Tab-separated table of all heavy atoms in Angstrom:
chain	number	residue	atom	x	y	z
A	98	MET	N	-5.996	32.170	24.376
A	98	MET	CA	-6.029	33.470	23.684
A	98	MET	C	-4.601	33.912	23.391
A	98	MET	O	-4.060	34.782	24.064
A	98	MET	CB	-6.738	34.514	24.561
A	98	MET	CG	-8.163	34.150	24.950
A	98	MET	SD	-9.358	34.576	23.671
A	98	MET	CE	-9.608	36.306	24.020
A	99	PRO	N	-3.965	33.312	22.381
A	99	PRO	CA	-2.553	33.595	22.114
A	99	PRO	C	-2.350	34.925	21.392
A	99	PRO	O	-3.308	35.525	20.902
A	99	PRO	CB	-2.132	32.431	21.217
A	99	PRO	CG	-3.390	32.037	20.515
A	99	PRO	CD	-4.527	32.308	21.478
A	100	LEU	N	-1.111	35.356	21.297
A	100	LEU	CA	-0.780	36.642	20.675
A	100	LEU	C	-1.219	36.712	19.216
A	100	LEU	O	-1.672	37.753	18.751
A	100	LEU	CB	0.742	36.865	20.754
A	100	LEU	CG	1.268	38.127	20.076
A	100	LEU	CD1	0.769	39.385	20.792
A	100	LEU	CD2	2.797	38.128	20.041
A	101	ALA	N	-1.068	35.626	18.467
A	101	ALA	CA	-1.401	35.694	17.039
A	101	ALA	C	-1.971	34.374	16.553
A	101	ALA	O	-1.590	33.298	17.030
A	101	ALA	CB	-0.161	36.047	16.229
A	102	LEU	N	-2.873	34.478	15.588
A	102	LEU	CA	-3.532	33.302	15.014
A	102	LEU	C	-3.392	33.328	13.495
A	102	LEU	O	-3.391	34.394	12.873
A	102	LEU	CB	-5.030	33.306	15.358
A	102	LEU	CG	-5.397	33.169	16.846
A	102	LEU	CD1	-6.881	33.481	17.044
A	102	LEU	CD2	-5.076	31.756	17.330
A	103	GLY	N	-3.300	32.150	12.900
A	103	GLY	CA	-3.327	32.044	11.438
A	103	GLY	C	-1.993	32.414	10.813
A	103	GLY	O	-0.954	32.448	11.462
A	104	GLY	N	-2.040	32.684	9.504
A	104	GLY	CA	-0.816	32.978	8.770
A	104	GLY	C	-0.243	31.709	8.165
A	104	GLY	O	-0.801	30.619	8.335
A	105	ALA	N	0.859	31.840	7.474
A	105	ALA	CA	1.465	30.681	6.812
A	105	ALA	C	2.925	30.971	6.511
A	105	ALA	O	3.325	32.120	6.345
A	105	ALA	CB	0.733	30.370	5.504
A	106	LEU	N	3.699	29.901	6.464
A	106	LEU	CA	5.090	30.017	6.021
A	106	LEU	C	5.182	29.225	4.724
A	106	LEU	O	4.897	28.033	4.704
A	106	LEU	CB	6.029	29.441	7.080
A	106	LEU	CG	7.514	29.682	6.847
A	106	LEU	CD1	7.840	31.165	6.916
A	106	LEU	CD2	8.346	28.940	7.899
A	107	THR	N	5.524	29.919	3.656
A	107	THR	CA	5.635	29.232	2.370
A	107	THR	C	7.089	28.844	2.160
A	107	THR	O	7.978	29.665	2.285
A	107	THR	CB	5.139	30.146	1.240
A	107	THR	OG1	3.747	30.397	1.475
A	107	THR	CG2	5.298	29.481	-0.116
A	108	ILE	N	7.291	27.565	1.872
A	108	ILE	CA	8.666	27.080	1.731
A	108	ILE	C	8.883	26.535	0.326
A	108	ILE	O	7.997	25.906	-0.249
A	108	ILE	CB	9.000	26.000	2.790
A	108	ILE	CG1	8.050	24.816	2.676
A	108	ILE	CG2	8.952	26.589	4.184
A	108	ILE	CD1	8.443	23.646	3.543
A	109	PRO	N	10.052	26.801	-0.262
A	109	PRO	CA	10.338	26.255	-1.583
A	109	PRO	C	10.733	24.787	-1.473
A	109	PRO	O	11.400	24.396	-0.518
A	109	PRO	CB	11.523	27.107	-2.061
A	109	PRO	CG	12.161	27.615	-0.827
A	109	PRO	CD	11.139	27.619	0.268
A	110	LEU	N	10.296	23.978	-2.419
A	110	LEU	CA	10.672	22.565	-2.434
A	110	LEU	C	11.704	22.343	-3.537
A	110	LEU	O	11.888	23.175	-4.417
A	110	LEU	CB	9.447	21.685	-2.670
A	110	LEU	CG	8.311	21.887	-1.653
A	110	LEU	CD1	7.128	20.980	-1.987
A	110	LEU	CD2	8.799	21.600	-0.239
A	111	ASP	N	12.370	21.191	-3.466
A	111	ASP	CA	13.461	20.914	-4.411
A	111	ASP	C	13.025	20.965	-5.869
A	111	ASP	O	13.779	21.372	-6.734
A	111	ASP	CB	14.063	19.530	-4.131
A	111	ASP	CG	14.995	19.590	-2.933
A	111	ASP	OD1	15.386	20.718	-2.578
A	111	ASP	OD2	15.306	18.529	-2.373
A	112	ASP	N	11.787	20.515	-6.126
A	112	ASP	CA	11.367	20.418	-7.532
A	112	ASP	C	10.844	21.740	-8.072
A	112	ASP	O	10.235	21.771	-9.140
A	112	ASP	CB	10.302	19.326	-7.667
A	112	ASP	CG	9.111	19.584	-6.763
A	112	ASP	OD1	9.031	20.690	-6.185
A	112	ASP	OD2	8.258	18.690	-6.632
A	113	GLY	N	11.073	22.834	-7.346
A	113	GLY	CA	10.645	24.139	-7.847
A	113	GLY	C	9.251	24.541	-7.384
A	113	GLY	O	8.874	25.700	-7.487
A	114	ARG	N	8.487	23.566	-6.854
A	114	ARG	CA	7.187	23.949	-6.307
A	114	ARG	C	7.394	24.561	-4.927
A	114	ARG	O	8.500	24.565	-4.402
A	114	ARG	CB	6.289	22.705	-6.168
A	114	ARG	CG	5.770	22.174	-7.514
A	114	ARG	CD	4.942	20.924	-7.285
A	114	ARG	NE	5.671	19.982	-6.426
A	114	ARG	CZ	5.115	19.297	-5.424
A	114	ARG	NH1	3.838	19.438	-5.130
A	114	ARG	NH2	5.850	18.463	-4.697
A	115	THR	N	6.298	25.065	-4.356
A	115	THR	CA	6.380	25.551	-2.982
A	115	THR	C	5.317	24.842	-2.165
A	115	THR	O	4.389	24.255	-2.725
A	115	THR	CB	6.128	27.067	-2.888
A	115	THR	OG1	4.845	27.339	-3.449
A	115	THR	CG2	7.189	27.869	-3.602
A	116	ARG	N	5.486	24.848	-0.865
A	116	ARG	CA	4.464	24.298	0.016
A	116	ARG	C	4.088	25.386	1.006
A	116	ARG	O	4.972	26.009	1.621
A	116	ARG	CB	5.022	23.078	0.758
A	116	ARG	CG	4.227	22.659	1.953
A	116	ARG	CD	3.149	21.613	1.714
A	116	ARG	NE	3.641	20.390	1.110
A	116	ARG	CZ	2.904	19.667	0.252
A	116	ARG	NH1	1.699	20.066	-0.112
A	116	ARG	NH2	3.392	18.552	-0.244
A	117	THR	N	2.792	25.645	1.098
A	117	THR	CA	2.323	26.638	2.058
A	117	THR	C	1.914	25.914	3.334
A	117	THR	O	1.000	25.096	3.323
A	117	THR	CB	1.155	27.434	1.464
A	117	THR	OG1	1.657	28.143	0.337
A	117	THR	CG2	0.619	28.439	2.470
A	118	VAL	N	2.630	26.202	4.401
A	118	VAL	CA	2.367	25.538	5.676
A	118	VAL	C	1.576	26.511	6.544
A	118	VAL	O	2.083	27.567	6.927
A	118	VAL	CB	3.691	25.163	6.371
A	118	VAL	CG1	3.419	24.401	7.658
A	118	VAL	CG2	4.568	24.356	5.428
A	119	ARG	N	0.327	26.164	6.789
A	119	ARG	CA	-0.509	27.068	7.578
A	119	ARG	C	-0.057	27.063	9.043
A	119	ARG	O	0.307	26.033	9.591
A	119	ARG	CB	-1.973	26.628	7.504
A	119	ARG	CG	-2.618	26.857	6.138
A	119	ARG	CD	-3.933	26.119	6.052
A	119	ARG	NE	-3.716	24.677	6.217
A	119	ARG	CZ	-4.637	23.821	6.673
A	119	ARG	NH1	-5.835	24.253	7.021
A	119	ARG	NH2	-4.349	22.527	6.804
A	120	ILE	N	-0.095	28.221	9.636
A	120	ILE	CA	0.261	28.349	11.050
A	120	ILE	C	-1.035	28.422	11.852
A	120	ILE	O	-1.958	29.170	11.503
A	120	ILE	CB	1.110	29.617	11.300
A	120	ILE	CG1	2.363	29.604	10.410
A	120	ILE	CG2	1.486	29.732	12.777
A	120	ILE	CD1	3.283	28.415	10.594
A	121	ARG	N	-1.086	27.614	12.890
A	121	ARG	CA	-2.296	27.602	13.701
A	121	ARG	C	-2.262	28.763	14.694
A	121	ARG	O	-3.208	29.512	14.819
A	121	ARG	CB	-2.340	26.266	14.452
A	121	ARG	CG	-3.634	25.989	15.120
A	121	ARG	CD	-3.593	24.618	15.775
A	121	ARG	NE	-3.799	23.531	14.816
A	121	ARG	CZ	-3.796	22.243	15.166
A	121	ARG	NH1	-3.588	21.883	16.422
A	121	ARG	NH2	-3.998	21.310	14.267
A	122	LYS	N	-1.144	28.897	15.382
A	122	LYS	CA	-1.047	29.971	16.374
A	122	LYS	C	0.409	30.260	16.712
A	122	LYS	O	1.299	29.442	16.451
A	122	LYS	CB	-1.791	29.595	17.654
A	122	LYS	CG	-1.163	28.400	18.350
A	122	LYS	CD	-1.637	28.317	19.779
A	122	LYS	CE	-0.912	27.195	20.513
A	122	LYS	NZ	-1.289	27.062	21.889
A	123	LEU	N	0.600	31.417	17.287
A	123	LEU	CA	1.941	31.843	17.705
A	123	LEU	C	1.777	32.554	19.040
A	123	LEU	O	0.926	33.432	19.170
A	123	LEU	CB	2.463	32.788	16.618
A	123	LEU	CG	3.858	33.395	16.682
A	123	LEU	CD1	4.274	33.808	15.274
A	123	LEU	CD2	3.920	34.580	17.604
A	124	HIS	N	2.549	32.135	20.021
A	124	HIS	CA	2.435	32.831	21.303
A	124	HIS	C	3.789	33.014	21.971
A	124	HIS	O	4.788	32.468	21.514
A	124	HIS	CB	1.422	32.129	22.230
A	124	HIS	CG	1.885	30.830	22.807
A	124	HIS	ND1	1.146	29.673	22.706
A	124	HIS	CD2	2.987	30.506	23.511
A	124	HIS	CE1	1.796	28.696	23.322
A	124	HIS	NE2	2.913	29.178	23.814
A	125	VAL	N	3.793	33.834	23.041
A	125	VAL	CA	5.044	34.024	23.789
A	125	VAL	C	4.942	33.308	25.126
A	125	VAL	O	3.854	33.138	25.676
A	125	VAL	CB	5.369	35.524	24.038
A	125	VAL	CG1	5.874	36.164	22.778
A	125	VAL	CG2	4.164	36.267	24.576
A	126	GLU	N	6.080	32.889	25.626
A	126	GLU	CA	6.122	32.206	26.917
A	126	GLU	C	7.532	32.268	27.471
A	126	GLU	O	8.450	32.785	26.819
A	126	GLU	CB	5.658	30.756	26.775
A	126	GLU	CG	6.539	29.928	25.850
A	126	GLU	CD	6.022	28.504	25.639
A	126	GLU	OE1	4.805	28.282	25.775
A	126	GLU	OE2	6.850	27.621	25.329
A	127	GLU	N	7.704	31.733	28.670
A	127	GLU	CA	9.034	31.735	29.277
A	127	GLU	C	9.664	30.353	29.140
A	127	GLU	O	8.982	29.339	29.114
A	127	GLU	CB	8.946	32.124	30.760
A	127	GLU	CG	8.095	31.167	31.597
A	127	GLU	CD	8.086	31.534	33.073
A	127	GLU	OE1	8.966	32.271	33.518
A	127	GLU	OE2	7.181	31.061	33.780
A	128	ASP	N	10.996	30.345	29.054
A	128	ASP	CA	11.725	29.083	28.986
A	128	ASP	C	11.934	28.542	30.397
A	128	ASP	O	11.762	29.266	31.380
A	128	ASP	CB	13.083	29.315	28.301
A	128	ASP	CG	13.594	28.063	27.593
A	128	ASP	OD1	13.074	26.962	27.867
A	128	ASP	OD2	14.511	28.200	26.758
A	129	ALA	N	12.276	27.276	30.485
A	129	ALA	CA	12.597	26.647	31.769
A	129	ALA	C	14.120	26.566	31.910
A	129	ALA	O	14.855	26.934	31.000
A	129	ALA	CB	11.978	25.265	31.831
A	130	GLY	N	14.593	26.077	33.052
A	130	GLY	CA	16.037	25.915	33.261
A	130	GLY	C	16.542	24.638	32.615
A	130	GLY	O	15.901	24.085	31.723
A	131	LYS	N	17.701	24.217	33.056
A	131	LYS	CA	18.317	23.008	32.483
A	131	LYS	C	18.752	22.091	33.601
A	131	LYS	O	19.254	22.564	34.624
A	131	LYS	CB	19.572	23.387	31.700
A	131	LYS	CG	19.321	23.900	30.321
A	131	LYS	CD	20.666	24.150	29.664
A	131	LYS	CE	20.481	24.574	28.218
A	131	LYS	NZ	21.743	25.009	27.646
A	132	THR	N	18.604	20.804	33.394
A	132	THR	CA	19.131	19.862	34.379
A	132	THR	C	20.196	19.008	33.719
A	132	THR	O	20.185	18.821	32.507
A	132	THR	CB	18.039	18.914	34.914
A	132	THR	OG1	17.591	18.099	33.830
A	132	THR	CG2	16.880	19.679	35.504
A	133	LYS	N	21.134	18.557	34.529
A	133	LYS	CA	22.075	17.581	33.988
A	133	LYS	C	22.533	16.640	35.083
A	133	LYS	O	22.453	16.950	36.276
A	133	LYS	CB	23.251	18.273	33.312
A	133	LYS	CG	24.190	18.996	34.248
A	133	LYS	CD	25.459	19.408	33.502
A	133	LYS	CE	26.344	20.244	34.404
A	133	LYS	NZ	27.559	20.707	33.740
Side-chain angles (χ1 to χ4, degrees):
M98 302 277 278
L100 177 66
L102 295 168
L106 189 65
T107 297
I108 59 172
L110 303 179
D111 282 343
D112 57 10
R114 287 178 311 137
T115 57
R116 164 92 56 214
T117 296
V118 183
R119 290 167 299 154
I120 304 301
R121 191 177 281 180
K122 65 163 185 179
L123 182 158
H124 73 233
V125 285
E126 62 184 26
E127 61 177 341
D128 208 344
K131 279 183 176 171
T132 65
K133 69 169 175 182

